[in-house]
Amino acid sequence: MVSAVHGVMLTTDVPIKQYVLHLDAIAPAEGKFVIADLDERRVLIQPERAEQVKREIERYQQTTQYVAPNAMSKQ
Amino acid sequence: MDVNGPSTSHARAHPSDGAFVTFLSTLKDDSLDELYESSVWAVLAALRACDAIGKQIVLRLSFVSGGSIAGAELERWIADGDAGRRATARALGRLSRVRAIERVVDGGEAREANAMEVDVGTRGRDFEEDLERGSFVGTIRVRPAFAAHVRRALERGFVGLDADGGGAEGGDDVVELEVEKKVPDRATLSAYAKSKWEDLLLTLTGASDAFSKPGSKVSGRLDAQALFRAAGLTTSDASGDKKARKRNAGVTAEGFRFLLTTAQEQVWVLLTQYIRDESRTASATSAISFLLRLTFQRPGRAYAMTGVLSDTEQDVVRDLTHLGLLYTFDVKKRWYYVPTLLSSGLSGGFASDDGDNRAMVSAEGHVIVETNYRVYAYTSSLVEMEILRLFTRADYRLPNLYVGMLTRESVQNALRAGVDAEQIVAYLRAHAHKQVRKKKPSVPGTVCDQIRLWARDMMRVRSDECVLYCDFPPVGGFYNAVVAEATKRGALLWRDDIGRKLTVRADAHEAMKPVVAALKQSLGDT
């Protein structure tokens, strides 16, 4: 029997996809959002969680960046 | 005269066209023909705005009797190779968008008549279709009025083309001497133009009121804020509540892009809008042809106004003075205007093809970008600082120096506001300080690449609303039939032949449902 599942397909690079899986893994049971792991660059997630996941990825990317501080300002 | 609304202009606009060609192609057919008929300057400006191949075609055909050439013949001018053919098709497309050439298909004007009925938006698109078909069909003809003006201009050596000759009138030596004395020198003039234009841009960003308050520093019948709004550079609430106005509030994505383009493009964007407003009055043709004549007049030279220009033209002069494109003064109650550098590049067309504007930019380069992403700008101009602030983190500001840092955050903020990475790079290059200009890449390659990478970083995750079809029977043609159906509808996003899964766009799911059911009936159960 063929089934149809609605969702949002995230297409991204390998590391980010792994990070998405990681987010799903550390989420509590009721907060899981990954529906299907499609291939190494794609993952199907619940549509209503898509924005939140994208924000999460954005935040993560920001933490991996080095920004040279402004000498004047106290960081 | 009527000018089409923005919607039609977009239909015909072509991404590779400069602001000037785009502007011409927004004019209605008969208005444009009338313009070419009446003004040699319009013809020359259109010609100037074409690329080298386009110029060649027009110049060659202008001297051919009848001004026409068979498409097959034209084909022989093209050097072998697809690149040449593409460039020619592009040039032809552009020429027909500005209505410099037309195509006559065997059987007279039949094609023309048809084209009119279809849609003005298709003007010039034929040639790109030709490219796909592999040959140029029909006969290509330079419009007679266009060709006549080109011939006349060439034969007269570009002088005395106007009935009145233009320029400060001779005859009265004393007056002439006095006029001569009143003309500001080049440096003063360009400083004047620059400061006017900067006030204007600052008004756009909301950092200055110079142009918006009536009776303030500058006054005129031209409302710059309204002009910005009409051009879609700001939204209407920008000028409303003073207190609510934050930095850059109300500036649209279009507005940010506008800030980063060259002064020449900026002038045209505003002028197009100005003319569109003006076109409600009956005199737009004369206003446009005057504008175009202006672009051929020498900056720094005085031209008489009183008694020479019509009332419409005098109004235009006043508005342009307001914008800093012209400088006006009077000698014994006779008014004169002097074009500034801003107006000289107006119809220069191709940035790559034209020296005027580049020369103007290079004179005022002030930005140094180091490999460590630090940006130094030797400028005291508020506008330039404002622009840099768009995409750099402001670190220090000294009286004549701005120091900032290109950071991921600052660049991405700019990208989110609607600027694109290439524009940032182009801006840094165009405004490179003359010392760093001597080095080969004036902006370090690593920095340019990083800006592009930051831009790509924002597109790292792509998300598509979709429906996943899975659990197909492990054998049989059902899966393949569904894949084929989805592909045919352009709805297929992803497929996995081994796992027998596919995703289709969510909006195509409703249409796919019955099809899948039908396929299941015929194939699924076997």
Side-chain angles (χ1 to χ4, degrees):
Chain A
M1 184 57 214
V2 175
S3 46
V5 188
H6 285 263
V8 166
M9 182 169 74
L10 295 183
T11 307
T12 175
D13 45 69
V14 179
I16 291 293
K17 190 228 149 185
Q18 285 304 324
Y19 183 68
V20 174
L21 291 184
H22 164 72
L23 283 177
D24 188 58
I26 60 168
E30 67 278 10
K32 304 272 186 211
F33 52 85
V34 170
I35 302 171
D37 187 353
L38 299 178
D39 66 10
E40 60 178 11
R41 290 177 53 228
R42 289 177 189 81
V43 63
L44 191 73
I45 64 170
Q46 285 167 7
E48 61 274 10
R49 303 288 296 279
E51 276 312 307
Q52 186 206 341
V53 172
K54 274 197 268 185
R55 268 200 308 278
E56 206 64 48
I57 295 171
E58 176 69 21
R59 196 173 317 147
Y60 170 68
Q61 279 182 297
Q62 194 62 49
T63 62
T64 61
Q65 298 293 322
Y66 168 74
V67 179
N70 179 356
M72 287 285 277
S73 67
K74 293 182 194 97
Q75 297 259 324
Chain B
M1 164 169 182
D2 263 346
V3 179
N4 288 348
S7 54
T8 21
S9 75
H10 282 304
R12 213 181 300 157
H14 201 268
S16 66
D17 289 346
F20 179 59
V21 172
T22 311
F23 162 69
L24 284 183
S25 44
T26 57
L27 297 179
K28 275 201 176 151
D29 292 356
D30 44 353
S31 318
L32 199 51
D33 289 344
E34 187 190 330
L35 189 64
Y36 289 147
E37 199 82 42
S38 63
S39 163
V40 58
W41 301 112
V43 169
L44 291 178
L47 184 62
R48 185 162 70 173
C50 289
D51 57 0
I53 296 176
K55 283 174 188 159
Q56 282 256 10
I57 293 171
V58 170
L59 287 180
R60 284 198 199 184
L61 292 187
S62 290
F63 289 90
V64 174
S65 75
S68 61
I69 185 171
E73 184 75 19
L74 188 118
E75 205 123 341
R76 272 189 261 154
W77 292 355
I78 308 168
D80 291 337
D82 267 354
R85 295 174 51 82
R86 254 199 306 281
T88 311
R90 237 190 341 260
L92 286 172
R94 188 171 287 131
L95 284 173
S96 78
R97 271 194 295 280
V98 301
R99 284 180 75 75
I101 59 169
E102 64 192 337
R103 181 192 334 227
V104 189
V105 170
D106 301 331
E109 303 276 310
R111 176 105 186 187
E112 266 282 299
N114 276 341
M116 294 289 203
E117 279 168 32
V118 179
D119 176 19
V120 272
T122 60
R123 209 201 266 172
R125 216 161 279 168
D126 305 352
F127 289 102
E128 266 131 68
E129 287 165 20
D130 275 6
L131 194 63
E132 283 158 26
R133 274 200 298 273
S135 66
F136 298 112
V137 292
T139 304
I140 287 145
R141 183 173 74 174
V142 178
R143 287 178 189 278
F146 202 96
H149 279 313
V150 170
R151 281 198 301 274
R152 184 157 154 263
L154 278 175
E155 281 155 11
R156 295 198 185 183
F158 297 95
V159 286
L161 292 174
D162 274 318
D164 52 42
E169 296 154 309
D172 197 340
D173 284 349
V174 185
V175 173
E176 209 169 326
L177 208 65
E178 233 170 302
V179 171
E180 213 52 41
K181 253 191 288 180
K182 280 243 190 169
V183 176
D185 63 52
R186 225 180 151 82
T188 325
L189 199 61
S190 78
Y192 159 85
K194 207 175 156 203
S195 81
K196 279 271 195 176
W197 198 248
E198 292 200 344
D199 278 347
L200 191 75
L201 294 183
L202 281 177
T203 311
L204 172 68
T205 59
S208 153
D209 292 329
F211 273 84
S212 48
K213 258 190 296 181
S216 63
K217 196 161 129 202
V218 273
S219 66
R221 69 187 185 107
L222 194 66
D223 178 2
Q225 288 285 4
L227 202 62
F228 289 145
R229 272 200 300 282
L233 301 177
T234 55
T235 50
S236 49
D237 45 314
S239 57
D241 191 357
K242 268 278 167 54
K243 278 178 196 152
R245 190 198 285 174
K246 296 193 296 271
R247 168 190 304 288
N248 298 338
V251 180
T252 61
E254 201 60 48
F256 283 115
R257 272 198 290 277
F258 173 84
L259 281 176
L260 288 188
T261 53
T262 58
Q264 180 197 1
E265 289 277 310
Q266 290 171 345
V267 170
W268 260 115
V269 169
L270 287 188
L271 282 189
T272 334
Q273 195 51 52
Y274 169 72
I275 289 167
R276 221 174 259 150
D277 292 348
E278 199 73 351
S279 65
R280 283 185 218 113
T281 67
S283 49
T285 311
S286 91
I288 298 174
S289 63
F290 174 69
L291 272 176
L292 294 178
R293 195 173 96 198
L294 212 58
T295 66
F296 287 91
Q297 293 180 334
R298 257 211 342 262
R301 191 177 151 197
Y303 295 88
M305 241 169 100
T306 317
V308 179
L309 301 185
S310 70
D311 286 348
T312 329
E313 289 169 338
Q314 297 209 14
D315 279 344
V316 174
V317 168
R318 264 187 288 279
D319 286 341
L320 294 186
T321 308
H322 186 56
L323 293 177
L325 269 60
L326 298 177
Y327 174 87
T328 48
F329 62 90
D330 71 314
V331 174
K332 294 183 186 137
K333 294 261 154 80
R334 291 183 65 83
W335 281 85
Y336 294 86
Y337 67 87
V338 182
T340 65
L341 280 175
L342 272 178
S343 64
S344 70
L346 273 185
S347 64
F350 274 95
S352 55
D353 197 42
D354 147 69
D356 289 8
N357 186 56
R358 290 283 152 210
M360 183 173 157
V361 170
S362 65
E364 58 191 41
H366 55 272
V367 178
I368 298 172
V369 183
E370 290 182 343
T371 46
N372 58 5
Y373 307 104
R374 209 164 258 280
V375 176
Y376 299 91
Y378 287 92
T379 177
S380 45
S381 141
L382 279 174
V383 180
E384 278 151 11
M385 291 189 192
E386 281 290 318
I387 292 178
L388 286 170
R389 229 180 242 277
L390 272 179
F391 55 85
T392 60
R393 182 189 72 195
D395 286 352
Y396 317 105
R397 200 178 128 187
L398 306 176
N400 70 337
L401 176 68
Y402 168 95
V403 182
M405 181 78 107
L406 284 161
T407 65
R408 181 169 181 272
E409 205 182 346
S410 66
V411 169
Q412 290 196 343
N413 279 340
L415 296 170
R416 262 179 230 126
V419 180
D420 76 57
E422 288 311 314
Q423 271 179 318
I424 296 178
V425 173
Y427 182 85
L428 292 175
R429 283 209 179 118
H431 294 81
H433 192 277
K434 51 181 181 292
Q435 292 292 334
V436 287
R437 214 170 271 263
K438 289 178 197 151
K439 286 193 282 191
K440 225 3 204 164
S442 51
V443 179
T446 49
V447 175
C448 296
D449 287 346
Q450 185 63 69
I451 292 174
R452 293 188 191 112
L453 286 174
W454 279 328
R456 206 183 296 169
D457 234 17
M458 294 176 65
M459 297 179 291
R460 221 165 146 185
V461 180
R462 197 187 132 182
S463 67
D464 301 283
E465 293 234 359
C466 69
V467 176
L468 169 74
Y469 296 162
C470 54
D471 302 333
F472 284 91
V475 286
F478 184 29
Y479 166 76
N480 284 328
V482 173
V483 167
E485 189 60 38
T487 314
K488 202 174 83 193
R489 286 158 191 268
L492 184 75
L493 286 170
W494 170 81
R495 59 191 279 192
D496 174 11
D497 288 346
I498 296 161
R500 295 197 155 225
K501 286 180 279 194
L502 72 150
T503 56
V504 298
R505 285 207 320 267
D507 51 1
H509 178 56
E510 284 306 314
M512 282 294 287
K513 252 199 253 175
V515 182
V516 173
L519 285 171
K520 187 172 150 64
Q521 282 295 316
S522 57
L523 294 166
D525 296 327
T526 56

Coordinates of all heavy atoms in Angstrom, one line a residue, chain B residues 443-501:
Chain B
V443 N 40.6 44.8 -4.4 CA 40.0 44.3 -3.2 C 40.5 42.8 -3.1 O 40.4 42.1 -4.1 CB 38.5 44.2 -3.3 CG1 37.9 43.7 -2.0 CG2 37.9 45.6 -3.5
P444 N 41.1 42.5 -2.0 CA 41.7 41.1 -1.9 C 40.8 40.0 -2.3 O 39.6 40.0 -1.9 CB 42.1 41.0 -0.4 CG 42.2 42.4 0.1 CD 41.3 43.2 -0.7
G445 N 41.3 39.1 -3.0 CA 40.4 38.0 -3.5 C 39.8 37.2 -2.4 O 38.6 36.8 -2.5
T446 N 40.5 37.0 -1.3 CA 40.0 36.2 -0.2 C 38.7 36.9 0.4 O 37.8 36.3 0.7 CB 41.0 36.1 1.0 OG1 41.5 37.4 1.2 CG2 42.1 35.2 0.6
V447 N 38.8 38.3 0.4 CA 37.7 39.0 1.0 C 36.4 38.9 0.1 O 35.3 38.6 0.5 CB 38.0 40.5 1.2 CG1 36.8 41.3 1.7 CG2 39.1 40.6 2.2
C448 N 36.7 39.0 -1.2 CA 35.6 38.9 -2.2 C 34.9 37.5 -2.1 O 33.7 37.4 -2.0 CB 36.0 39.1 -3.6 SG 36.7 40.7 -3.9
D449 N 35.8 36.5 -2.0 CA 35.3 35.1 -1.9 C 34.5 34.9 -0.7 O 33.5 34.3 -0.7 CB 36.4 34.1 -2.0 CG 37.0 34.1 -3.4 OD1 36.3 34.6 -4.3 OD2 38.1 33.5 -3.6
Q450 N 35.0 35.5 0.4 CA 34.4 35.3 1.7 C 33.0 35.9 1.7 O 32.0 35.4 2.2 CB 35.2 35.9 2.8 CG 34.6 35.6 4.2 CD 34.6 34.1 4.5 OE1 35.6 33.5 4.7 NE2 33.4 33.6 4.6
I451 N 32.9 37.1 1.0 CA 31.6 37.7 1.0 C 30.6 36.8 0.2 O 29.4 36.6 0.6 CB 31.7 39.1 0.3 CG1 32.4 40.1 1.2 CG2 30.3 39.7 0.0 CD1 32.7 41.4 0.6
R452 N 31.1 36.3 -0.9 CA 30.2 35.4 -1.6 C 29.9 34.1 -0.8 O 28.8 33.6 -0.9 CB 30.9 35.0 -2.9 CG 31.1 36.1 -3.9 CD 31.6 35.7 -5.2 NE 32.0 36.9 -6.0 CZ 33.2 37.2 -6.3 NH1 34.2 36.4 -5.9 NH2 33.5 38.3 -7.0
L453 N 30.9 33.6 -0.1 CA 30.6 32.4 0.7 C 29.6 32.7 1.8 O 28.7 31.9 2.1 CB 31.9 31.9 1.4 CG 32.9 31.2 0.4 CD1 34.2 30.9 1.1 CD2 32.2 30.0 -0.1
W454 N 29.7 33.9 2.4 CA 28.7 34.3 3.4 C 27.3 34.3 2.8 O 26.3 33.9 3.4 CB 29.0 35.6 4.0 CG 30.1 35.6 5.1 CD1 30.3 34.5 5.9 CD2 31.0 36.6 5.4 NE1 31.3 34.8 6.8 CE2 31.8 36.1 6.5 CE3 31.3 37.8 4.9 CZ2 32.9 36.8 7.0 CZ3 32.4 38.5 5.4 CH2 33.1 38.0 6.5
A455 N 27.3 34.8 1.6 CA 26.0 34.8 0.9 C 25.5 33.4 0.6 O 24.3 33.1 0.8 CB 26.1 35.6 -0.4
R456 N 26.4 32.5 0.3 CA 26.0 31.2 0.0 C 25.6 30.5 1.3 O 24.7 29.6 1.3 CB 27.1 30.4 -0.7 CG 26.5 29.3 -1.5 CD 27.6 28.5 -2.2 NE 28.4 29.2 -3.1 CZ 29.6 28.8 -3.6 NH1 30.1 27.6 -3.2 NH2 30.2 29.5 -4.5
D457 N 26.2 30.9 2.4 CA 25.9 30.3 3.7 C 24.4 30.5 4.0 O 23.9 29.6 4.7 CB 26.7 31.1 4.7 CG 27.5 30.1 5.6 OD1 27.7 29.0 5.1 OD2 28.0 30.5 6.7
M458 N 23.9 31.6 3.6 CA 22.5 31.8 3.9 C 21.5 30.9 3.1 O 20.4 30.7 3.5 CB 22.1 33.2 3.6 CG 22.8 34.2 4.4 SD 22.5 35.9 4.0 CE 20.7 36.0 4.3
M459 N 22.1 30.3 2.1 CA 21.3 29.4 1.3 C 21.6 27.9 1.5 O 21.4 27.1 0.7 CB 21.4 29.7 -0.2 CG 20.8 31.1 -0.5 SD 21.0 31.5 -2.2 CE 22.8 31.7 -2.4
R460 N 22.3 27.7 2.6 CA 22.8 26.3 2.9 C 21.7 25.3 3.1 O 21.8 24.2 2.7 CB 23.7 26.4 4.2 CG 24.9 25.6 4.0 CD 25.9 25.9 5.1 NE 26.6 24.7 5.5 CZ 27.5 24.7 6.5 NH1 27.6 25.8 7.2 NH2 28.1 23.6 6.7
V461 N 20.6 25.8 3.6 CA 19.5 24.9 3.8 C 18.4 25.3 2.9 O 18.0 26.4 2.9 CB 19.0 25.0 5.3 CG1 17.8 24.0 5.5 CG2 20.1 24.7 6.3
R462 N 18.0 24.3 2.1 CA 16.8 24.6 1.2 C 15.7 23.8 1.8 O 15.8 22.6 2.1 CB 17.2 24.2 -0.2 CG 16.3 24.7 -1.2 CD 16.5 24.1 -2.6 NE 15.2 23.8 -3.1 CZ 15.1 23.2 -4.3 NH1 16.1 22.8 -5.0 NH2 13.9 22.9 -4.7
S463 N 14.5 24.4 1.9 CA 13.4 23.6 2.4 C 12.2 23.7 1.4 O 12.0 24.7 0.8 CB 12.9 24.1 3.7 OG 12.4 25.4 3.6
D464 N 11.6 22.6 1.1 CA 10.5 22.5 0.2 C 9.4 21.8 0.9 O 9.5 20.7 1.5 CB 10.9 21.6 -1.0 CG 12.1 22.2 -1.8 OD1 11.9 23.2 -2.5 OD2 13.2 21.7 -1.6
E465 N 8.2 22.4 0.8 CA 7.0 21.7 1.3 C 6.7 20.6 0.3 O 6.7 20.8 -0.9 CB 5.8 22.7 1.2 CG 6.0 23.8 2.2 CD 4.8 23.9 3.2 OE1 3.9 23.1 3.0 OE2 4.8 24.8 4.0
C466 N 6.6 19.4 0.8 CA 6.5 18.3 -0.1 C 5.6 17.1 0.5 O 5.2 17.2 1.6 CB 7.9 17.7 -0.5 SG 8.6 16.9 0.9
V467 N 5.4 16.2 -0.4 CA 4.7 15.0 0.1 C 5.6 13.8 -0.3 O 6.1 13.7 -1.5 CB 3.3 14.8 -0.6 CG1 2.7 13.5 -0.2 CG2 2.4 16.0 -0.2
L468 N 5.8 12.9 0.7 CA 6.7 11.8 0.4 C 5.8 10.6 0.1 O 4.8 10.3 0.8 CB 7.5 11.5 1.6 CG 8.2 10.1 1.7 CD1 9.4 10.2 0.8 CD2 8.7 9.8 3.1
Y469 N 6.0 10.0 -1.1 CA 5.3 8.7 -1.4 C 6.3 7.6 -1.2 O 7.4 7.6 -1.7 CB 5.0 8.7 -2.9 CG 4.0 9.8 -3.3 CD1 3.8 10.1 -4.7 CD2 3.2 10.4 -2.4 CE1 2.9 11.1 -5.0 CE2 2.3 11.4 -2.8 CZ 2.1 11.7 -4.1 OH 1.2 12.7 -4.4
C470 N 5.9 6.6 -0.3 CA 6.7 5.5 -0.1 C 5.9 4.2 0.1 O 4.7 4.3 -0.2 CB 7.6 5.8 1.2 SG 6.6 6.2 2.6
D471 N 6.5 3.2 0.4 CA 5.9 1.9 0.6 C 5.3 1.4 -0.8 O 4.1 0.9 -0.8 CB 4.7 1.9 1.6 CG 5.3 2.4 3.0 OD1 6.5 2.1 3.2 OD2 4.6 3.0 3.8
F472 N 6.0 1.6 -1.8 CA 5.6 1.0 -3.1 C 5.8 -0.5 -3.1 O 6.7 -0.9 -2.3 CB 6.4 1.6 -4.3 CG 6.0 3.0 -4.6 CD1 6.5 4.1 -4.0 CD2 4.9 3.2 -5.6 CE1 6.1 5.4 -4.4 CE2 4.5 4.5 -5.9 CZ 5.1 5.6 -5.3
P473 N 5.0 -1.3 -3.8 CA 5.3 -2.7 -3.9 C 6.7 -2.9 -4.5 O 7.2 -2.2 -5.4 CB 4.3 -3.2 -4.9 CG 3.7 -2.0 -5.5 CD 3.9 -0.9 -4.6
P474 N 7.5 -3.8 -3.9 CA 8.9 -4.0 -4.2 C 9.1 -4.4 -5.7 O 10.3 -4.3 -6.2 CB 9.4 -5.1 -3.2 CG 8.2 -5.7 -2.8 CD 7.0 -4.7 -2.8
V475 N 8.2 -4.9 -6.4 CA 8.4 -5.2 -7.8 C 7.2 -4.6 -8.6 O 6.3 -4.1 -8.0 CB 8.4 -6.8 -8.0 CG1 9.7 -7.4 -7.5 CG2 7.1 -7.4 -7.4
G476 N 7.4 -4.6 -9.9 CA 6.4 -4.1 -10.7 C 6.7 -2.7 -11.2 O 7.5 -2.0 -10.6
G477 N 5.9 -2.2 -12.2 CA 6.2 -0.9 -12.8 C 5.5 0.3 -12.1 O 5.6 1.4 -12.6
F478 N 4.8 0.0 -11.0 CA 4.0 1.1 -10.4 C 4.9 2.3 -10.0 O 4.6 3.4 -10.4 CB 3.3 0.5 -9.2 CG 2.3 1.4 -8.5 CD1 1.7 2.5 -9.2 CD2 2.1 1.3 -7.1 CE1 0.8 3.4 -8.6 CE2 1.2 2.2 -6.5 CZ 0.6 3.2 -7.2
Y479 N 5.9 2.0 -9.3 CA 6.8 3.1 -8.8 C 7.3 3.9 -10.0 O 7.2 5.1 -10.0 CB 8.0 2.5 -8.0 CG 9.1 3.4 -7.8 CD1 9.0 4.4 -6.8 CD2 10.3 3.3 -8.5 CE1 10.0 5.3 -6.6 CE2 11.3 4.2 -8.3 CZ 11.2 5.2 -7.4 OH 12.2 6.1 -7.2
N480 N 7.8 3.2 -11.0 CA 8.4 4.0 -12.1 C 7.3 4.8 -12.9 O 7.6 5.9 -13.3 CB 9.0 3.0 -13.1 CG 10.4 2.5 -12.6 OD1 11.1 3.2 -11.9 ND2 10.7 1.3 -12.9
A481 N 6.1 4.3 -12.9 CA 5.0 5.0 -13.6 C 4.7 6.3 -12.8 O 4.5 7.4 -13.4 CB 3.8 4.2 -13.7
V482 N 4.7 6.2 -11.5 CA 4.5 7.4 -10.7 C 5.6 8.4 -10.8 O 5.4 9.6 -11.0 CB 4.3 7.0 -9.2 CG1 4.2 8.3 -8.3 CG2 3.0 6.2 -9.0
V483 N 6.8 7.9 -10.8 CA 8.0 8.8 -11.0 C 7.9 9.6 -12.4 O 8.0 10.8 -12.4 CB 9.3 8.0 -11.0 CG1 10.5 8.9 -11.5 CG2 9.6 7.6 -9.5
A484 N 7.5 8.8 -13.4 CA 7.4 9.4 -14.7 C 6.3 10.5 -14.7 O 6.5 11.5 -15.3 CB 7.1 8.3 -15.8
E485 N 5.2 10.2 -14.1 CA 4.1 11.1 -14.0 C 4.5 12.4 -13.3 O 4.2 13.5 -13.8 CB 2.9 10.4 -13.3 CG 1.6 11.2 -13.4 CD 1.1 11.4 -14.8 OE1 1.3 10.5 -15.6 OE2 0.6 12.5 -15.0
A486 N 5.2 12.2 -12.2 CA 5.6 13.4 -11.4 C 6.6 14.2 -12.2 O 6.6 15.5 -12.2 CB 6.2 13.0 -10.1
T487 N 7.5 13.6 -12.9 CA 8.5 14.3 -13.7 C 7.8 15.1 -14.8 O 8.2 16.2 -15.1 CB 9.5 13.3 -14.4 OG1 9.9 12.3 -13.4 CG2 10.7 14.0 -14.9
K488 N 6.8 14.4 -15.4 CA 6.1 15.1 -16.5 C 5.4 16.4 -16.0 O 5.4 17.4 -16.7 CB 5.0 14.1 -17.0 CG 4.6 14.5 -18.4 CD 3.6 13.4 -19.0 CE 2.2 13.7 -18.5 NZ 1.3 12.5 -18.7
R489 N 4.9 16.4 -14.8 CA 4.3 17.6 -14.2 C 5.3 18.5 -13.6 O 4.9 19.6 -13.1 CB 3.3 17.1 -13.1 CG 2.1 16.5 -13.7 CD 1.4 15.7 -12.6 NE 0.4 14.9 -13.3 CZ -0.9 15.3 -13.4 NH1 -1.3 16.4 -12.9 NH2 -1.8 14.5 -14.0
G490 N 6.5 18.2 -13.6 CA 7.6 19.1 -13.0 C 7.4 19.1 -11.5 O 7.8 20.1 -10.9
A491 N 6.9 18.1 -10.9 CA 6.6 18.2 -9.5 C 7.6 17.3 -8.7 O 7.7 17.4 -7.5 CB 5.2 17.7 -9.2
L492 N 8.4 16.6 -9.4 CA 9.3 15.7 -8.7 C 10.5 16.4 -8.1 O 11.1 17.2 -8.7 CB 9.9 14.7 -9.7 CG 10.8 13.6 -9.1 CD1 10.0 12.6 -8.4 CD2 11.7 12.9 -10.1
L493 N 10.7 16.2 -6.8 CA 11.7 16.9 -6.1 C 12.9 16.0 -5.9 O 14.1 16.4 -5.9 CB 11.2 17.4 -4.7 CG 10.3 18.6 -4.7 CD1 9.7 18.8 -3.4 CD2 11.1 19.9 -5.2
W494 N 12.6 14.7 -5.6 CA 13.7 13.8 -5.2 C 13.2 12.4 -5.4 O 12.0 12.1 -5.3 CB 14.0 14.1 -3.7 CG 14.9 13.0 -3.1 CD1 16.3 13.0 -3.2 CD2 14.5 11.9 -2.3 NE1 16.7 11.9 -2.5 CE2 15.7 11.2 -1.9 CE3 13.3 11.4 -1.8 CZ2 15.7 10.1 -1.1 CZ3 13.3 10.3 -1.1 CH2 14.5 9.7 -0.7
R495 N 14.0 11.5 -5.8 CA 13.6 10.1 -5.9 C 14.7 9.2 -5.4 O 15.9 9.6 -5.4 CB 13.3 9.8 -7.4 CG 14.5 10.0 -8.3 CD 14.1 10.0 -9.7 NE 14.0 8.6 -10.2 CZ 13.9 8.3 -11.4 NH1 13.9 9.2 -12.4 NH2 13.9 7.0 -11.8
D496 N 14.3 8.1 -4.9 CA 15.3 7.1 -4.4 C 14.8 5.8 -5.1 O 13.9 5.1 -4.6 CB 15.2 7.0 -2.9 CG 16.1 5.9 -2.4 OD1 16.9 5.3 -3.2 OD2 16.0 5.6 -1.2
D497 N 15.5 5.4 -6.1 CA 15.1 4.2 -6.9 C 15.3 2.9 -6.1 O 14.5 2.0 -6.3 CB 15.9 4.1 -8.2 CG 15.4 5.2 -9.2 OD1 14.3 5.8 -8.9 OD2 16.1 5.5 -10.1
I498 N 16.3 2.9 -5.2 CA 16.5 1.7 -4.5 C 15.5 1.5 -3.4 O 14.8 0.5 -3.3 CB 18.0 1.7 -3.9 CG1 19.0 1.6 -5.1 CG2 18.2 0.4 -3.0 CD1 20.4 2.1 -4.7
G499 N 15.3 2.6 -2.6 CA 14.3 2.5 -1.6 C 12.8 2.7 -2.1 O 11.9 2.6 -1.3
R500 N 12.7 3.0 -3.4 CA 11.4 3.2 -4.0 C 10.6 4.2 -3.3 O 9.5 4.0 -2.8 CB 10.6 1.9 -4.1 CG 11.3 0.9 -5.0 CD 10.4 -0.2 -5.4 NE 10.8 -0.8 -6.7 CZ 10.0 -1.0 -7.7 NH1 8.7 -0.8 -7.6 NH2 10.4 -1.5 -8.8
K501 N 11.2 5.4 -3.2 CA 10.5 6.5 -2.5 C 10.7 7.8 -3.4 O 11.6 7.9 -4.2 CB 11.2 6.9 -1.2 CG 10.9 5.9 -0.1 CD 11.6 6.2 1.2 CE 13.0 5.8 1.2 NZ 13.7 5.8 2.5

